[in-house]
Amino acid sequence: MFRSFSSFNYRIWFLGALVSNVGGWMQATAQDWVVLTELTDNDATAMGFTMALQFGPPLVLVSLTGWVADRFDRRKILLLTQTVLMALALGVAALLLTGVMTLPLMFCFALAFGITNAFDAPARQAFVSDMVMVGDASNAVALNSASFNMARLIGPAVGGLLIVVVGTGWVFVINAATFLAMLVALVLIRSRELLPRIKNTGRTRLAEGFRYVWGRSDLKVTFVMVFLIGAFGMNFPIYASTMALEFGREADGYGVLSSVLAIGSLAGALLAARRDRARIRVLVIAAGGFGLASMISSWMPSYWSYAAVLIFVGFSTVTMLTTANGYVQTTTDPALRGRVLALYMAVVMGSTPIGAPIAGWITDVAGPRASIMFGGIAGLVAMAVGVTWMLASGRLHRQKNTRFRLTLDETRPISVMRADPVEFSDEVAAATTPIRTLRAD
């Protein structure tokens, strides 16, 4: 389960990311609560627009951010983006602590966070594969998700408590301090031990990621399923915060709901780490599980019964996302991985600008339970899309030696093709740890 920890670079990265992600979840909780209760009078639509501004740039800038992740040193990209994110957190903190923050200003900061994260996310996702052997990439992705959800287990609860004790402004200050852990980890990473990267040049290759995904029906189906659930089902800040208010809870109650959601998320991530590789069948089952769990949660009569069902919502959500992420990474041509991951992150994060305002509007008009039900239906539709593809593609068939058992022929991970040293960047050509590569069949 923890085989990626054999890499020094990955161990350092994991610890730095864990600390930084705890702060990130604390800040996310504070930002949602500020918009919902301090800058508006429980306006879920405004909260949806804030999320749209924050998650819209990955969709708009997808071609540029993917190209940047493939063309430039990913470690240096992350050093820059993490520094900018820390500065933005300090800026929000200053405005909140001085009492001059307004909703339009928060919209501007949300957009700035979104633009920075648009460059940070594909570089960060692809950098995980740079630190481990090709055969451990899926495990590294799953462990990365486990780190993210361990932070999600701790951060919202601590953030909600700190909002009550010290106020939202200081939560942003604390988050800014946690960025130092990631910056230190990036400085300590041994560049000579990173895997060689194929060097790509020329603006004519910006569209290669789109063409590559368009030529792979399995990737198209994966992206469609993730989009449906990402846009209409994964608006948890809106759902949890408004449900907390419906049950008469304050910021600490909202933080607890987010942490309870993370219990299932962490379990899903750890279970994904045990699998030898990512499979589409798991993605389809998880999408259906998400839909059912979401619909059941919308019927819960009390705060704690709703919280209990959120465990299953979190489990199915992270199982789906981790499987999709691992499948994309392990079956994509390494030369195009950054651009394909940028497309994937655009689908995950960029779907929010479409779904979050809709979820906020439904919440304001019909209540949070109706909005959660709508997200659950989206999960079931995503499962139907996956099942339809499996049947139409001809890959689902009965095993020869059994009567009732079915099997699915899935795309196998692509072997790393041997490349001439001149095709690699100067930084990794200088000195790298020897790795085993295979010729593509």
Side-chain angles (χ1 to χ4, degrees), residues 308-322:
V309 179
L310 282 185
I311 296 176
F312 299 97
V313 174
F315 177 84
S316 56
T317 301
V318 170
T319 299
M320 180 199 67
L321 291 179
T322 303

Side-chain angles (χ1 to χ4, degrees), residues 90-207:
L90 289 173
V92 174
L95 293 177
L96 287 173
L97 291 173
T98 55
V100 297
M101 176 61 79
T102 63
L103 186 60
L105 281 175
M106 183 60 81
F107 285 162
C108 292
F109 273 99
L111 181 61
F113 278 119
I115 293 173
T116 308
N117 276 315
F119 288 92
D120 182 86
R124 187 173 66 248
Q125 293 291 325
F127 192 59
V128 171
S129 298
D130 292 343
M131 291 182 286
V132 297
M133 299 289 289
V134 175
D136 292 335
S138 182
N139 175 257
V141 170
L143 290 176
N144 213 45
S145 179
S147 169
F148 182 78
N149 286 288
M150 285 171 64
R152 190 176 185 177
L153 181 64
I154 302 169
V158 175
L161 181 62
L162 287 175
I163 290 172
V164 175
V165 175
V166 299
T168 53
W170 286 107
V171 176
F172 280 86
V173 173
I174 295 171
N175 174 56
T178 63
F179 277 108
L180 294 175
M182 178 61 80
L183 292 172
V184 170
L186 289 168
V187 171
L188 293 177
I189 281 176
R190 301 167 182 170
S191 298
R192 66 182 183 277
E193 295 182 9
L194 297 175
L195 267 65
R197 289 174 51 201
I198 297 175
K199 186 177 181 180
N200 290 308
T201 59
R203 297 182 182 273
T204 58
R205 298 188 178 186
L206 289 176

Side-chain angles (χ1 to χ4, degrees), residues 12 28 43 64 79 123 136 182 185 213 225 229-230 270 318 321 342 430:
I12 293 296
D43 189 345
L64 178 60
L79 284 168
D136 292 335
M182 178 61 80
V213 172
M225 293 175 64
I229 295 180
L270 291 176
V318 170
L321 291 179

Side-chain angles (χ1 to χ4, degrees), residues 202-233:
R203 297 182 182 273
T204 58
R205 298 188 178 186
L206 289 176
E208 289 185 3
F210 291 95
R211 291 197 296 268
Y212 183 84
V213 172
W214 190 255
R216 292 266 306 272
S217 65
D218 54 337
L219 289 184
K220 285 190 290 186
V221 168
T222 299
F223 280 33
V224 168
M225 293 175 64
V226 170
F227 172 80
L228 286 171
I229 295 180
F232 305 111

Side-chain angles (χ1 to χ4, degrees), residues 296-376:
I296 292 172
S297 72
S298 69
W299 300 329
M300 291 298 101
S302 67
Y303 176 84
W304 288 112
S305 62
Y306 174 70
V309 179
L310 282 185
I311 296 176
F312 299 97
V313 174
F315 177 84
S316 56
T317 301
V318 170
T319 299
M320 180 199 67
L321 291 179
T322 303
T323 302
N325 192 322
Y327 186 82
V328 171
Q329 291 219 39
T330 57
T331 66
T332 297
D333 186 338
L336 296 171
R337 186 175 291 139
R339 275 160 285 188
V340 173
L341 282 172
L343 285 171
Y344 173 77
M345 295 307 299
V347 170
V348 175
M349 301 173 67
S351 58
T352 300
I354 299 173
I358 295 174
W361 176 78
I362 294 175
T363 300
D364 286 335
V365 172
R369 295 180 185 274
S371 188
I372 296 171
M373 177 71 70
F374 183 72

